[in-house]
Amino acid sequence: MAELTAVLASTHHPFYLKATTDHSESRMPQADEWQRKVEAYRQTLTAAQPDVLVMVGADHFHQFFLDNYPTFLIGKQEKYDATFYNEEREFGLPRYLLDGDTELSGYLHQGLMDAGFDFSFSHELKIDHSIICPIITVRPEADLPIVPIYTNIFAPPLPSPKRFWDLGQAIRRVIEAFPSDRKVAAVGTGHLSLELGGPRMFGEHGPDPAFDAKAIEWLSTGNIDAILANVTHESMAAAGNATHGFMDLILMMGIAAGEEADYVDQLDLFHTREMFMTWYPTQKDHLLKAAVRAAASSGAVVGPMYADREGATA
């Protein structure tokens, strides 16, 4: 059976590449620290040696609109084109042509349908920055096949936070039942508190620092009870009009089975808090040591079971 070797959850900031490749006088003051943290986070995926990436994201109204926005969708293609023109123009994102894994896509589609999740599917899916951003940050070689899963975090009515949690658990079960000896990593991105186009956009920090701190604590400790007791569509909207992307991070925590994260890092930027989190479901010693090494170079936090190894931050 396939091995789920790593689960990664992070925010996706489309300006990362542009900000860290700008070496002019206008280079943002956080760029060096941001780049160091991302490169350390990248090590946590590299150590897992995945053969294929199951990637969770959301379409930012590039190809799905209020007239037809699927709740959950899986791509089933041999190749995926990326990115969209406005993302090239505004964010400086490059174009990609990514390999797909149609065998795993088909298996996941059928398995999730059998588990009670009525997935849409696409043979013409184009990938946007919710998946391209983690490609850039954790696998810039773009050399692994992907299986993209898109969720609806934008167009009401939205699924509940619990539905995202349940879907994450189901994705893990289907991956682990996949009849293959390949290593699979699940990589997903979402949001903490976020304001897009509203009065709290481009402030000194994310629109709701208190929500961000609680969200990172809940995710990193696997506290799904606190999430389901406190996170509603209304409370997310109060934290920022685009905070509903937090549900994709709940989904990733579900794939990690609610375990305590093995690696946690964060960075406060001028209008958002960035978060980087990794779980190693198999808890192999070389993976734990990789998390410790990455933490030592970024100031991240590692799991308590091995926090004292090699001088990592406890």
Side-chain angles (χ1 to χ4, degrees):
M1 298 299 151
E3 177 186 354
L4 179 63
T5 187
V7 180
L8 279 71
S10 73
T11 48
H12 60 259
H13 200 308
F15 279 113
Y16 168 76
L17 184 63
K18 193 172 184 178
T20 55
T21 55
D22 177 10
H23 296 288
S24 71
E25 293 181 355
S26 62
R27 182 178 172 89
M28 64 182 292
Q30 303 98 329
D32 290 345
E33 183 181 11
W34 196 2
Q35 185 170 355
R36 185 177 71 252
K37 285 179 176 291
V38 164
E39 289 176 353
Y41 181 54
R42 186 182 305 160
Q43 296 176 36
T44 69
L45 178 66
T46 301
Q49 299 180 314
D51 300 307
V52 58
L53 303 177
V54 173
M55 305 197 70
V56 176
D59 179 75
H60 292 71
F61 293 110
H62 281 117
Q63 57 201 313
F64 304 126
F65 306 95
L66 296 178
D67 61 338
N68 183 12
Y69 204 116
T71 300
F72 301 121
L73 177 142
I74 190 166
K76 302 178 72 174
Q77 298 159 224
E78 294 184 355
K79 299 285 184 179
Y80 295 93
D81 184 28
T83 59
F84 290 84
Y85 171 69
N86 72 304
E87 298 171 311
E88 296 181 64
R89 182 192 65 220
E90 298 298 324
F91 308 140
L93 299 183
R95 294 186 180 185
Y96 287 90
L97 185 62
L98 303 172
D99 290 331
D101 187 320
T102 56
E103 183 183 10
L104 181 54
S105 288
Y107 190 86
L108 271 168
H109 188 197
Q110 184 62 61
L112 292 170
M113 293 283 285
D114 292 343
F117 293 89
D118 296 331
F119 261 70
S120 300
F121 65 92
S122 176
H123 294 283
E124 298 180 337
L125 185 66
K126 187 170 181 177
I127 301 300
D128 83 354
H129 70 268
S130 67
I131 286 177
I132 289 305
C133 286
I135 289 288
I136 289 170
T137 56
V138 299
R139 197 71 182 193
E141 305 92 335
D143 59 344
L144 295 176
I146 68 166
V147 174
I149 292 176
Y150 269 5
T151 68
N152 177 15
I153 57 170
F154 290 119
L158 303 177
S160 68
K162 186 177 185 303
R163 190 64 170 165
F164 279 78
W165 164 254
D166 291 342
L167 175 56
Q169 293 180 298
I171 289 172
R172 176 170 181 156
R173 289 193 297 268
V174 178
I175 289 174
E176 292 183 331
F178 182 48
S180 170
D181 60 358
R182 282 181 289 172
K183 294 180 179 179
V184 180
V187 179
T189 64
H191 308 138
L192 297 175
S193 70
L194 185 64
E195 185 94 352
L196 296 178
R200 292 180 289 177
M201 187 175 181
F202 295 124
E204 295 182 359
H205 48 65
D208 193 334
F211 175 86
D212 294 345
K214 289 184 290 187
I216 291 172
E217 178 184 359
W218 292 333
L219 291 168
S220 64
T221 60
N223 194 346
I224 186 59
D225 291 337
I227 288 175
L228 296 182
N230 291 279
V231 177
T232 64
H233 293 153
E234 292 74 20
S235 69
M236 287 185 284
N241 62 18
T243 306
H244 295 83
F246 180 64
M247 292 191 292
D248 274 342
L249 302 181
I250 298 173
L251 188 158
M252 300 312 296
M253 190 178 84
I255 299 178
E259 298 294 329
E260 186 163 345
D262 296 302
Y263 181 93
V264 183
D265 203 0
Q266 55 187 297
L267 176 65
D268 194 12
L269 291 179
F270 55 90
H271 69 285
T272 180
R273 180 165 290 276
E274 300 301 291
M275 182 213 78
F276 314 98
M277 203 169 292
T278 300
W279 295 262
Y280 291 127
T282 56
Q283 295 289 331
K284 291 185 177 179
D285 190 63
H286 75 280
L287 297 177
L288 304 184
K289 289 180 178 178
V292 170
R293 289 193 297 271
S297 64
S298 71
V301 176
V302 293
M305 68 166 57
Y306 49 94
D308 58 347
R309 300 188 190 186
E310 301 182 17
T313 302

